[in-house]
Amino acid sequence: FWYYGTGSGDEVGVTLKDNAAADPGPSGWEMVWADEFDGAAGTPPNPENWTHEIGDVTPDGKNGWGNDELQYYTDDPANAAHDGDGNLVITLREADGSLECYYGPCEYTSARLLSWHKAELGYGRVESRLKVPGDFEGEDLRGLWPAFWSLGTDIDRNPWPLAGEIDFMEWVGRIPNEVFGTIHGPGYSGGQSFGKTYGFSEPVFTDYHVFAVEWEPGEIRWYVDDILYHSATPANVAPNQWVFDKPFFMLLNFAIGGNFGGEVGDDVVFPQEYLVDYVRLYSAPDTAERWEASFTDDVAGWNEVTVPFDSFTRSLSQPAGAPDDGLGLEDVWGYGFELPASAAGAASHLFDQIRLIPVPLPPSDAVVIDDFEDGDTGDWGFFGTGSSGGGGGPFSDRPYEGDFYFSTGWGGPGSGFYGGAFKNFDNSAQVVPPTDPWFNVYVLNQSDATVDEYTLEITIREDLDGNGWSDGNEESFRLDTTFPSSKFDDQWTLISAPLTDFTKIGGSGDGTFNGNLDEIVIVISAVSDGDVSDGSSIEVDFDYFAFTSGRGLLP
C-alpha cells in the first residue's frame, strides 16, 4: 500500500483478522449491523450506510436501468427521507419536466439506495420490515415496482448477471397479493431466473411484513413473516454456475414501469410511498483470529510500504472462540491500521492502493536448477573466510510453498567477510536453459553482523565441448549486485535478470550463453563497520534457482 506519513520514525500498526471459527448456523447468528431509520422527519438516509445512485441509465450505459423503467433517481429528500416515526420513506413522484430521460422529459422521480462499500453481506440472515405502496383494495397500482435486493460486490469487474443478484423482495402493483424471491446468475437471469412467489390472502400493502433471506454455503432460503416459501441450491441452476459464495451489497429502490413493473395504470395516484421500518444483518460472531505487524513512518509524504505476511504475530487480545492455529490466510475477514499516539492532531494520514500481492506460481516453461524440495544440499560445496559453512533446512512461508531452503554463512574476527557456495553439473544432470533465458533466485538476509553492504556475485559456466565441468574448457558469465545491509532482511526477495545482463569473465566462447549449464557459483562478500570478534556471523539464504524464458518469475 501507499502511505502518506510524517517521517516521525514512529511505528504504525497493521492488523489482520484471520480465519474464524466454524459458522454455527442460524441458531448461533447474532445481529452485526442495522439501520433502524430513526432519523428526524425530513432528513435523508444515513450516508454512512447508503449511497444514492442517480439518473435513469446504468453505469454501463443501459437505458431505464436495463429494464426500460421510467423513473429518474435523485438524491432529493423529497424522494427518500425519514418520516420521524422510525421509517425511511422512498417516494415515487410525478416529475416536473425539468429532467431529461432516455425517452424524453422524465415522467417520474424516485430513489435508489446502495450499501456498496458501506454494508456488505455474506453468509447469514438479512431481514427487513417493509410496507409496499397502496391504501385500499382495488386501487390502481399498475406499474409500481418497489424492491429490496442485492448484487455481487464485484459488479464493477464482473457485469450483470455474472456478478449475481439475490432479490429478497420484489412486488409489482399489477399482482397486488404476491411477492417474489429470486436469484439471477449466468444462464439464469431475467425471464429465465430461478425464483418463486408467495401469495397472501389479501393485498400485500394492507400491513407491514418481515422479509428475510438466510444464506449459507450452497443454499439460500426466503421467508415472509418467518414462513419459509422458497430455497435455492447449486443443483437448481446446474449446469450453470452458482455465483453466491462471495460478498453482496444491498439495494432499496422504487421503480415504475419497465419489463417487469409493466404498463403504468391510467388511474395511479401520485405520490406513492414505499416504507422501510428497518434493515438488519445477522451472521456468525466475530471469532476471527487477530494478528499484528508494523512499519516505520520514516518518510515525510507518500511512500510505498510492503508488509510480508510472515512478519505478523498473534495479538495478545483475542475474541472469544478465536482459533489458535497460525496465520493460515484461508479466509481473511478484515484488516486495519493503528496510528501511534503522536499522530493525534496531525492534519491527515492517507492510505491508497491497498493490495494483496501473492507470490505467483512459476511459469510453466520454468527450468528449475534447484528448489531444494528434497531437503538435500549435499551436492553443494561451501567456502569462505573465518568459520565457513552452509546447508539447508525447513523454513516457513517458502517461495512457491516449498519446505526447504539453502544457506551459506561464515564468521570470525576482522572487518571483512567472504564466502559462498558452488554446484557442479555432470553430463547426466546438465541444465539446458530456455530461449532468451532469465536467471532467477530468491534471497533472504539473516546475518547478525554489523555490515554496511553486501555484494552478491552469481557466476554461471557453460560447458563448451560437452566433456563435463572439470576439463577447463568452460565459458563464464557473472552478475554482480550490491545492496545495503537492510536489503532482504527478514523477507524473501526475488533477484531476476536476463542472461544478457551477465558479463563474460572467461573462456574461449562467443560471449553468449548458448549451451548447457556446467557450474553455478554464489559468492557473498561484505564490509562491516568494525571488528566482529564478538561472534557475529553472516548468513544468507537462497531458494528456487530457475531459468525462465523472456521474463522473470514475477509479472
Side-chain angles (χ1 to χ4, degrees), residues 157-483:
R157 307 182 306 278
N158 211 10
W160 187 92
L162 300 179
E165 175 182 331
I166 307 173
D167 299 326
F168 310 134
M169 187 288 300
E170 288 185 287
W171 177 85
V172 287
R174 59 187 169 85
I175 313 175
N177 289 30
E178 295 182 4
V179 292
F180 295 78
T182 315
I183 54 172
H184 303 257
Y188 50 100
S189 61
Q192 287 73 50
S193 59
F194 182 71
K196 192 173 182 179
T197 62
Y198 179 82
F200 292 80
S201 60
E202 58 185 358
V204 182
F205 59 71
T206 57
D207 202 351
Y208 285 88
H209 297 280
V210 175
F211 299 92
V213 160
E214 290 184 350
W215 179 13
E216 297 186 81
E219 185 176 23
I220 302 172
R221 300 181 296 272
W222 284 257
Y223 298 82
V224 173
D225 299 330
D226 286 329
I227 299 170
L228 173 65
Y229 76 94
H230 180 40
S231 63
T233 68
N236 296 129
V237 300
N240 298 304
Q241 183 184 6
W242 178 263
V243 291
F244 305 102
D245 294 319
K246 61 182 180 182
F248 277 62
F249 64 91
M250 299 175 289
L251 299 96
L252 286 164
N253 73 296
F254 189 177
I256 185 169
N259 56 25
F260 189 57
E263 185 178 357
V264 180
D266 294 333
D267 298 321
V268 179
V269 176
F270 295 96
Q272 291 284 341
E273 295 183 340
Y274 170 33
L275 277 63
V276 186
D277 181 17
Y278 63 76
V279 174
R280 297 170 183 167
L281 303 182
Y282 300 80
S283 69
D286 181 5
T287 58
E289 190 176 5
R290 271 56 171 177
W291 293 78
E292 58 191 48
S294 66
F295 67 93
T296 304
D297 178 7
D298 55 4
V299 174
W302 285 110
N303 183 39
E304 186 176 21
V305 179
T306 299
V307 182
F309 284 117
D310 59 11
S311 68
F312 282 81
T313 58
R314 191 173 191 267
S315 301
L316 294 177
S317 178
Q318 299 287 337
D324 187 3
D325 55 3
L327 186 60
L329 300 174
E330 286 84 6
D331 292 293
V332 176
W333 294 92
Y335 66 91
F337 300 95
E338 294 182 356
L339 297 175
S342 62
S348 60
H349 289 259
L350 308 178
F351 295 86
D352 195 13
Q353 299 184 29
I354 300 171
R355 296 169 177 167
L356 172 67
I357 305 177
V359 176
L361 292 175
S364 59
D365 60 358
V367 178
V368 178
I369 301 169
D370 208 332
D371 60 7
F372 308 104
E373 286 312 287
D374 57 3
D376 181 16
T377 60
D379 52 351
W380 286 78
F382 303 95
F383 57 87
T385 59
S387 302
S388 63
F395 200 106
S396 63
D397 297 321
R398 307 295 311 113
Y400 301 129
E401 306 299 328
D403 297 324
F404 286 87
Y405 69 97
F406 160 77
S407 176
T408 183
W410 65 99
S415 59
F417 293 82
Y418 173 88
F422 62 92
K423 179 177 180 177
N424 299 312
F425 299 81
D426 60 30
N427 289 344
S428 63
Q430 290 284 302
V431 175
V432 182
T435 304
D436 187 18
W438 285 52
F439 183 88
N440 304 267
V441 61
Y442 278 93
V443 180
L444 171 67
N445 176 30
Q446 296 198 94
S447 306
D448 61 9
T450 302
V451 171
D452 291 334
E453 63 182 22
Y454 298 94
T455 298
L456 168 64
E457 297 178 0
I458 303 170
T459 301
I460 57 174
R461 293 195 173 99
E462 176 186 9
D463 182 9
L464 295 178
D465 56 14
N467 291 329
W469 63 271
S470 61
D471 68 352
N473 190 18
E474 295 90 31
E475 186 173 20
S476 299
F477 304 85
R478 178 177 294 166
L479 179 73
D480 290 349
T481 304
T482 300
F483 51 91

Side-chain angles (χ1 to χ4, degrees), residues 22-75:
D23 191 324
S27 63
W29 290 342
E30 58 187 31
M31 190 165 67
V32 295
W33 182 92
D35 195 329
E36 302 293 335
F37 302 111
D38 290 331
T43 59
N46 186 346
E48 293 184 1
N49 297 340
W50 306 99
T51 299
H52 284 275
E53 201 157 24
I54 308 296
D56 67 323
V57 179
T58 63
D60 58 353
K62 296 183 178 66
N63 288 334
W65 297 98
N67 300 301
D68 297 324
E69 299 161 28
L70 302 176
Q71 76 287 341
Y72 187 100
Y73 290 127
T74 81
D75 58 1

